[in-house]
Amino acid sequence: MSVARDQLAAIRALPLSGPVRIMNVCGGHERTISMAGLRTALPNDIRLIPGPGCPVCICPEEDIYQAIRLALDERVVLASFGDMLRVPVNVPRSAVRSLDQARAAGGEVRPIASPRDAVRIAREHPGRPVVFHAVGFETTLGPIAAMIEEGLPDNLSLLVSGRLTWPAVAMLLESEQPGFDALIAPGHVSTLMGPEEWTFVPEHHGLPTAVAGFTPESIVAATLSVLTQRLEGRAVLDNCYSAARPGGNTVARAALERCFDIVPAIWRGIGSIPGSGFALKPHLAAHDARRRFPGYADEARRNAGAMPPGCDCARVVLGKILPPECRIYGSPCTPRTPVGPCMVSDEGACRIWWSSGIRERSAERRADAPAAPA
Amino acid sequence: MCLAIPMQIVQIDGHNAICSVQGVRRDVSLSLVQDQALAVGDFVLVHVGYAIQTLTPEEARDSLDLFDELMTADAVEAESSSHA
């Protein structure tokens, strides 16, 4: 940690003239920041803001609803990443509201840790349709593309809810109040896609940007980089994570291109973001759960697509507020009784802040307080 | 969900490998790093059962230190919530 200590000292010595808001867009970064206590270690003027970094949190409510309906079909085996099982949809309390509840109601729901588990489950149940709810950012969709190219059993189909991270950042930057002055870009998304995916942030929007890994040292290095850039009045893409090699993983990127089209896509509670969704290519239509099982969605439901009523997850995801500023943080929303997806997922900012010991609601630290000019 | 863990290759069979970290062994697909020459003893970064990048021993060690801390934090969290 001595490297981090030196760099923390360097950050404290910077002649900052006012608050600087630095957004991260990765649950792993937020976890390291919270667990290592970096917010406390940094000067108050440096605001580290969790942004759209949790694929579970923004997974369309309609898609989860469809997964639940499929799981309740006695023929279907529904495979989903474990993180998704407790995410609630907007149906009356008496109805089945999550995959967990679907399982309790007799649905065949299999929590999985790898796309390969979905293939194995499909092979074990040749007579039954198996649906894999494919949720994730680029990092996870790369392996899912590899799974597809390794060969899919006929009875396996995919309900794809995969999303690209950078279009959400672009949407924020193109809005009237982006809410941040610098970006810490995600390490594993950059490992897959190449750090270059983030050059648009400094080049088109003039914001200092640095890719970080997941050690406190790497995040402190990225923080020092963007702050130094800001003080020097320049904005470039710096890379503080050596595993994110130039060009990314070319095998994975080629597989992604062969398997998926990039389409406009819904983010829960936020709306449609252009070019932010993965959709199976036409030649994979036979494995597309949306085509194979039409009629399991119901977009006419009350609050379809929204975050749970009363929950501020959408504003947390966009970095507009910090988790404890949510109206229901800590009461009634806790990891044991989660209301919104940000408290369900290990990648969700609310869950991470709660785990790091912040248990009280507080309206004090505003994430969108304006920063003074550098 | 983008959590990735550095693991060491202990056995290779085509694009399938057995990798280990801290005594835990897992089947890992090497199909996304098939353009790299890999051998037993090499380190890879593993996400949802797939190696997504090769790592130098130094890179693996840095990430493993973090992994240790996270596992400890999770254990502490599990412990505290079970007594809540």
Side-chain angles (χ1 to χ4, degrees):
Chain A
M1 285 292 277
S2 64
V3 176
R5 203 172 297 129
D6 290 350
Q7 292 187 322
L8 277 172
I11 289 172
R12 288 197 199 98
L14 292 173
L16 295 173
S17 58
V20 184
R21 302 161 301 176
I22 306 172
M23 181 174 274
N24 73 73
V25 291
C26 170
H29 283 166
E30 185 51 35
R31 182 159 282 264
T32 299
I33 288 166
S34 294
M35 296 305 170
L38 289 184
R39 285 191 178 82
T40 315
L42 290 168
N44 274 342
D45 272 352
I46 299 168
R47 313 254 164 93
L48 301 181
I49 300 172
C54 167
V56 172
C57 303
I58 55 83
C59 179
E61 191 264 357
E62 297 93 326
D63 291 359
I64 305 171
Y65 179 84
Q66 194 170 347
I68 292 169
R69 300 301 305 168
L70 282 163
L72 290 171
D73 182 324
E74 60 189 20
R75 295 173 303 147
V76 174
V77 181
L78 195 286
S80 186
F81 289 120
D83 241 19
M84 292 298 301
L85 266 55
R86 295 176 68 211
V87 179
V89 294
N90 300 329
V91 294
R93 288 205 170 273
S94 55
V96 174
R97 313 184 81 201
S98 67
L99 285 170
D100 237 5
Q101 290 183 6
R103 183 160 59 169
E108 182 102 25
V109 177
R110 300 290 193 89
I112 59 173
S114 168
R116 300 178 112 195
D117 296 336
V119 173
R120 178 180 48 76
I121 291 166
R123 295 217 165 100
E124 286 168 1
H125 299 85
R128 299 178 67 180
V130 176
V131 177
F132 169 33
H133 189 191
V135 177
F137 287 144
E138 296 94 322
T139 318
T140 310
L141 271 287
I144 290 170
M147 170 199 79
I148 291 169
E149 298 208 315
E150 286 162 2
L152 296 178
D154 289 343
N155 61 328
L156 178 60
S157 55
L158 280 71
L159 177 61
V160 179
S161 304
R163 294 291 178 269
L164 290 100
T165 45
W166 72 263
V169 174
M171 182 202 71
L172 281 173
L173 288 170
E174 285 157 16
S175 69
E176 275 183 27
Q177 290 189 316
F180 59 105
D181 311 298
L183 179 73
I184 293 183
H188 288 145
V189 168
S190 300
T191 300
L192 255 282
M193 307 303 284
E196 302 83 357
E197 199 172 57
W198 300 95
T199 50
F200 78 97
V201 180
E203 289 184 3
H204 297 166
H205 301 280
L207 265 60
T209 303
V211 175
F214 299 87
T215 59
E217 289 85 345
S218 185
I219 288 174
V220 170
T223 304
L224 178 59
S225 169
V226 297
L227 290 169
T228 306
Q229 290 182 45
R230 184 173 161 87
L231 279 170
E232 292 172 354
R234 60 195 183 94
V236 296
L237 174 70
D238 196 5
N239 185 4
C240 302
Y241 188 43
S242 64
R245 321 255 198 254
N249 181 324
T250 52
V251 176
R253 288 175 54 196
L256 282 171
E257 278 184 28
R258 287 189 297 267
C259 294
F260 297 108
D261 286 322
I262 303 302
V263 297
I266 300 282
W267 293 52
R268 185 173 187 176
I270 295 167
S272 182
I273 301 180
S276 70
F278 291 96
L280 287 171
K281 290 264 193 195
H283 73 271
L284 295 166
H287 294 282
D288 189 341
R290 294 182 199 279
R291 291 166 183 262
R292 215 148 134 173
F293 304 98
Y296 284 74
D298 178 10
E299 286 165 21
R301 275 173 306 122
R302 187 180 157 90
N303 293 323
M307 284 293 182
C311 142
D312 285 333
C313 271
R315 294 174 73 212
V316 170
V317 165
L318 292 174
K320 301 298 182 193
I321 60 170
L322 295 173
E325 294 175 66
C326 173
R327 289 164 286 175
I328 56 172
Y329 183 85
S331 174
C333 191
T334 69
R336 286 191 158 197
T337 54
V339 177
C342 298
M343 193 60 95
V344 175
S345 171
D346 285 339
E347 305 283 297
C350 297
R351 174 70 176 269
I352 293 168
W353 280 52
W354 183 272
S355 300
S356 73
I358 295 167
R359 302 285 160 96
E360 302 276 320
R361 210 187 147 264
S362 156
E364 276 174 25
R365 290 190 56 187
R366 295 215 40 91
D368 56 353
Chain B
M1 209 168 197
C2 293
L3 180 69
I5 299 164
M7 299 185 87
Q8 191 167 25
I9 300 173
V10 295
Q11 195 178 313
I12 297 181
D13 176 14
H15 287 168
N16 294 312
I18 296 173
C19 296
S20 95
V21 62
Q22 295 169 330
V24 179
R25 290 184 170 218
R26 288 279 179 272
D27 291 327
V28 171
S29 169
L30 300 179
S31 63
L32 291 176
V33 288
Q34 59 184 272
D35 57 334
Q36 321 262 337
L38 287 169
V40 170
D42 287 346
F43 289 92
V44 286
L45 188 59
V46 178
H47 172 62
V48 294
Y50 285 78
I52 58 169
Q53 191 53 275
T54 54
L55 296 175
T56 65
E58 293 73 32
E59 288 170 340
R61 194 167 48 236
D62 286 350
S63 307
L64 266 180
D65 289 346
L66 172 72
F67 185 60
D68 278 347
E69 285 172 28
L70 285 181
M71 292 302 107
T72 309
D74 281 354
V76 169
E77 166 71 12
E79 179 77 2
S80 62
S81 56
S82 66
H83 290 85

